[in-house]
Amino acid sequence: MAITSAICTSFKVELLKGVHNFTATTGNTFKIALYDSDATLGASTTAFSTSEEITNTSGTAYTSGGATLTSVTPVASSTTAICDFSDVSYSSASFTANGALIYNSSASNVAVCAIAF
């Protein structure tokens, strides 16, 4: 099993269908979930799953489904569109994560991108 960093292929199709809205105050809710080394995430990932999602070894800061991301309305930088999220931190948790999945919880938990650490 492996985690590879990729924009999910299904997300690219969903962009053309108008599924995702990244606008800061009126857009969809996006989350980031953390995964262990046994997870399989990458371009073919289509949705959030609890399979191989991490669990706290101590503390209570991380909960299943991950953290809600605070979005900044997308802008253009030269020829690239950018959507930045505020950093997420877990101040009272202890865990090991090998990757993450950003997903749209407003649209049936569809995957946006996989990130390998």
Side-chain angles (χ1 to χ4, degrees), residues 32-61:
I32 186 167
L34 302 176
Y35 291 85
D36 64 27
S37 61
D38 292 327
T40 300
L41 300 171
S44 64
T45 303
T46 59
F48 164 74
S49 169
T50 57
S51 178
E52 303 305 333
E53 185 180 15
I54 63 132
T55 56
N56 285 330
T57 55
S58 68
T60 58

Short mmCIF file of all heavy atoms in Angstrom, two decimals, residues 32-61:
data_model
loop_
_atom_site.label_atom_id
_atom_site.label_comp_id
_atom_site.label_asym_id
_atom_site.label_seq_id
_atom_site.Cartn_x
_atom_site.Cartn_y
_atom_site.Cartn_z
N ILE A 32 -9.49 17.91 6.04
CA ILE A 32 -8.26 17.16 5.82
C ILE A 32 -8.21 16.03 6.84
O ILE A 32 -8.30 16.26 8.05
CB ILE A 32 -7.00 18.06 5.90
CG1 ILE A 32 -5.75 17.27 5.53
CG2 ILE A 32 -6.90 18.76 7.24
CD1 ILE A 32 -4.52 18.12 5.27
N ALA A 33 -8.13 14.81 6.33
CA ALA A 33 -8.05 13.62 7.17
C ALA A 33 -6.65 13.04 7.08
O ALA A 33 -6.00 13.13 6.02
CB ALA A 33 -9.08 12.58 6.71
N LEU A 34 -6.17 12.47 8.17
CA LEU A 34 -4.82 11.93 8.24
C LEU A 34 -4.84 10.41 8.20
O LEU A 34 -5.75 9.78 8.76
CB LEU A 34 -4.13 12.41 9.51
CG LEU A 34 -4.03 13.93 9.68
CD1 LEU A 34 -3.42 14.28 11.03
CD2 LEU A 34 -3.25 14.55 8.55
N TYR A 35 -3.82 9.82 7.57
CA TYR A 35 -3.78 8.37 7.35
C TYR A 35 -2.45 7.76 7.76
O TYR A 35 -1.41 8.43 7.72
CB TYR A 35 -4.06 8.06 5.87
CG TYR A 35 -5.49 8.35 5.50
CD1 TYR A 35 -5.87 9.63 5.12
CD2 TYR A 35 -6.45 7.36 5.58
CE1 TYR A 35 -7.21 9.91 4.82
CE2 TYR A 35 -7.78 7.63 5.27
CZ TYR A 35 -8.15 8.91 4.89
OH TYR A 35 -9.46 9.17 4.60
N ASP A 36 -2.49 6.47 8.09
CA ASP A 36 -1.27 5.75 8.47
C ASP A 36 -0.58 5.17 7.24
O ASP A 36 -1.05 5.32 6.11
CB ASP A 36 -1.57 4.67 9.52
CG ASP A 36 -2.48 3.56 9.02
OD1 ASP A 36 -2.52 3.29 7.80
OD2 ASP A 36 -3.16 2.95 9.88
N SER A 37 0.52 4.48 7.47
CA SER A 37 1.34 3.98 6.36
C SER A 37 0.69 2.83 5.58
O SER A 37 1.16 2.46 4.52
CB SER A 37 2.70 3.54 6.88
OG SER A 37 2.54 2.50 7.83
N ASP A 38 -0.38 2.25 6.10
CA ASP A 38 -1.07 1.17 5.39
C ASP A 38 -2.12 1.68 4.40
O ASP A 38 -2.71 0.90 3.66
CB ASP A 38 -1.74 0.22 6.38
CG ASP A 38 -0.72 -0.56 7.20
OD1 ASP A 38 0.36 -0.87 6.65
OD2 ASP A 38 -1.01 -0.86 8.38
N ALA A 39 -2.35 2.98 4.38
CA ALA A 39 -3.37 3.55 3.50
C ALA A 39 -2.91 3.56 2.04
O ALA A 39 -1.71 3.62 1.76
CB ALA A 39 -3.69 4.98 3.93
N THR A 40 -3.87 3.50 1.16
CA THR A 40 -3.61 3.66 -0.27
C THR A 40 -4.36 4.90 -0.73
O THR A 40 -5.59 4.93 -0.76
CB THR A 40 -4.10 2.44 -1.07
OG1 THR A 40 -3.41 1.28 -0.59
CG2 THR A 40 -3.84 2.61 -2.55
N LEU A 41 -3.61 5.96 -1.04
CA LEU A 41 -4.18 7.23 -1.49
C LEU A 41 -3.39 7.71 -2.70
O LEU A 41 -2.18 7.54 -2.75
CB LEU A 41 -4.09 8.30 -0.40
CG LEU A 41 -4.80 8.05 0.93
CD1 LEU A 41 -4.40 9.13 1.94
CD2 LEU A 41 -6.30 8.03 0.74
N GLY A 42 -4.06 8.34 -3.64
CA GLY A 42 -3.39 8.86 -4.82
C GLY A 42 -4.39 9.40 -5.83
O GLY A 42 -5.53 9.71 -5.48
N ALA A 43 -3.99 9.47 -7.08
CA ALA A 43 -4.82 10.04 -8.13
C ALA A 43 -6.15 9.29 -8.29
O ALA A 43 -7.16 9.89 -8.65
CB ALA A 43 -4.06 10.04 -9.45
N SER A 44 -6.17 8.01 -8.02
CA SER A 44 -7.39 7.22 -8.20
C SER A 44 -8.35 7.28 -7.01
O SER A 44 -9.46 6.73 -7.06
CB SER A 44 -7.05 5.76 -8.50
OG SER A 44 -6.39 5.19 -7.39
N THR A 45 -7.96 7.95 -5.92
CA THR A 45 -8.84 8.09 -4.75
C THR A 45 -10.05 8.95 -5.14
O THR A 45 -9.88 10.02 -5.72
CB THR A 45 -8.09 8.72 -3.57
OG1 THR A 45 -6.94 7.91 -3.26
CG2 THR A 45 -8.97 8.84 -2.34
N THR A 46 -11.25 8.50 -4.79
CA THR A 46 -12.46 9.22 -5.18
C THR A 46 -13.21 9.84 -4.01
O THR A 46 -14.00 10.76 -4.22
CB THR A 46 -13.43 8.30 -5.95
OG1 THR A 46 -13.76 7.19 -5.11
CG2 THR A 46 -12.81 7.81 -7.25
N ALA A 47 -12.98 9.34 -2.79
CA ALA A 47 -13.75 9.85 -1.65
C ALA A 47 -13.05 9.55 -0.33
O ALA A 47 -12.21 8.65 -0.23
CB ALA A 47 -15.14 9.23 -1.63
N PHE A 48 -13.42 10.29 0.69
CA PHE A 48 -12.93 10.07 2.05
C PHE A 48 -13.38 8.69 2.52
O PHE A 48 -14.49 8.25 2.25
CB PHE A 48 -13.48 11.14 3.00
CG PHE A 48 -13.36 10.78 4.45
CD1 PHE A 48 -12.13 10.83 5.09
CD2 PHE A 48 -14.47 10.36 5.17
CE1 PHE A 48 -12.01 10.47 6.43
CE2 PHE A 48 -14.37 10.01 6.50
CZ PHE A 48 -13.13 10.07 7.14
N SER A 49 -12.50 8.02 3.24
CA SER A 49 -12.80 6.73 3.85
C SER A 49 -12.12 6.68 5.22
O SER A 49 -11.05 7.26 5.40
CB SER A 49 -12.27 5.59 2.98
OG SER A 49 -12.34 4.37 3.67
N THR A 50 -12.72 5.97 6.15
CA THR A 50 -12.10 5.82 7.46
C THR A 50 -11.08 4.68 7.48
O THR A 50 -10.36 4.52 8.47
CB THR A 50 -13.16 5.55 8.54
OG1 THR A 50 -13.90 4.39 8.18
CG2 THR A 50 -14.09 6.74 8.71
N SER A 51 -10.99 3.92 6.39
CA SER A 51 -10.04 2.82 6.32
C SER A 51 -8.61 3.35 6.41
O SER A 51 -8.20 4.18 5.61
CB SER A 51 -10.23 2.05 5.01
OG SER A 51 -9.28 1.01 4.91
N GLU A 52 -7.88 2.90 7.38
CA GLU A 52 -6.49 3.28 7.65
C GLU A 52 -6.33 4.74 8.08
O GLU A 52 -5.23 5.28 8.07
CB GLU A 52 -5.57 2.97 6.47
CG GLU A 52 -5.58 1.53 6.02
CD GLU A 52 -5.26 0.52 7.12
OE1 GLU A 52 -4.56 0.86 8.09
OE2 GLU A 52 -5.73 -0.62 7.02
N GLU A 53 -7.43 5.39 8.47
CA GLU A 53 -7.33 6.73 9.05
C GLU A 53 -6.66 6.60 10.41
O GLU A 53 -6.86 5.60 11.11
CB GLU A 53 -8.72 7.35 9.21
CG GLU A 53 -8.68 8.79 9.68
CD GLU A 53 -10.07 9.41 9.85
OE1 GLU A 53 -11.07 8.67 9.88
OE2 GLU A 53 -10.13 10.64 9.96
N ILE A 54 -5.84 7.57 10.79
CA ILE A 54 -5.11 7.48 12.06
C ILE A 54 -6.07 7.57 13.25
O ILE A 54 -7.20 8.03 13.13
CB ILE A 54 -4.03 8.57 12.18
CG1 ILE A 54 -4.66 9.97 12.18
CG2 ILE A 54 -3.01 8.47 11.08
CD1 ILE A 54 -4.14 10.83 13.29
N THR A 55 -5.56 7.16 14.40
CA THR A 55 -6.27 7.35 15.66
C THR A 55 -5.28 7.94 16.64
O THR A 55 -4.07 7.77 16.52
CB THR A 55 -6.80 6.01 16.22
OG1 THR A 55 -5.71 5.10 16.37
CG2 THR A 55 -7.86 5.41 15.31
N ASN A 56 -5.80 8.66 17.63
CA ASN A 56 -4.94 9.23 18.67
C ASN A 56 -4.33 8.12 19.50
O ASN A 56 -5.01 7.15 19.84
CB ASN A 56 -5.75 10.11 19.62
CG ASN A 56 -6.11 11.45 19.03
OD1 ASN A 56 -5.39 11.97 18.20
ND2 ASN A 56 -7.23 11.99 19.45
N THR A 57 -3.06 8.27 19.83
CA THR A 57 -2.46 7.37 20.81
C THR A 57 -2.54 7.99 22.19
O THR A 57 -2.45 7.31 23.19
CB THR A 57 -0.99 7.05 20.46
OG1 THR A 57 -0.27 8.26 20.32
CG2 THR A 57 -0.92 6.25 19.17
N SER A 58 -2.73 9.31 22.25
CA SER A 58 -3.05 10.01 23.49
C SER A 58 -3.65 11.35 23.13
O SER A 58 -3.45 11.86 22.03
CB SER A 58 -1.81 10.19 24.37
OG SER A 58 -0.91 11.10 23.77
N GLY A 59 -4.41 11.91 24.05
CA GLY A 59 -5.06 13.18 23.77
C GLY A 59 -6.34 12.99 22.97
O GLY A 59 -6.70 11.87 22.61
N THR A 60 -7.00 14.09 22.66
CA THR A 60 -8.30 14.00 22.00
C THR A 60 -8.44 14.99 20.85
O THR A 60 -9.54 15.18 20.34
CB THR A 60 -9.42 14.28 23.01
OG1 THR A 60 -9.21 15.58 23.58
CG2 THR A 60 -9.47 13.25 24.11
N ALA A 61 -7.38 15.60 20.40
CA ALA A 61 -7.49 16.66 19.39
C ALA A 61 -7.89 16.14 18.02
O ALA A 61 -8.63 16.80 17.30
CB ALA A 61 -6.19 17.44 19.28
#
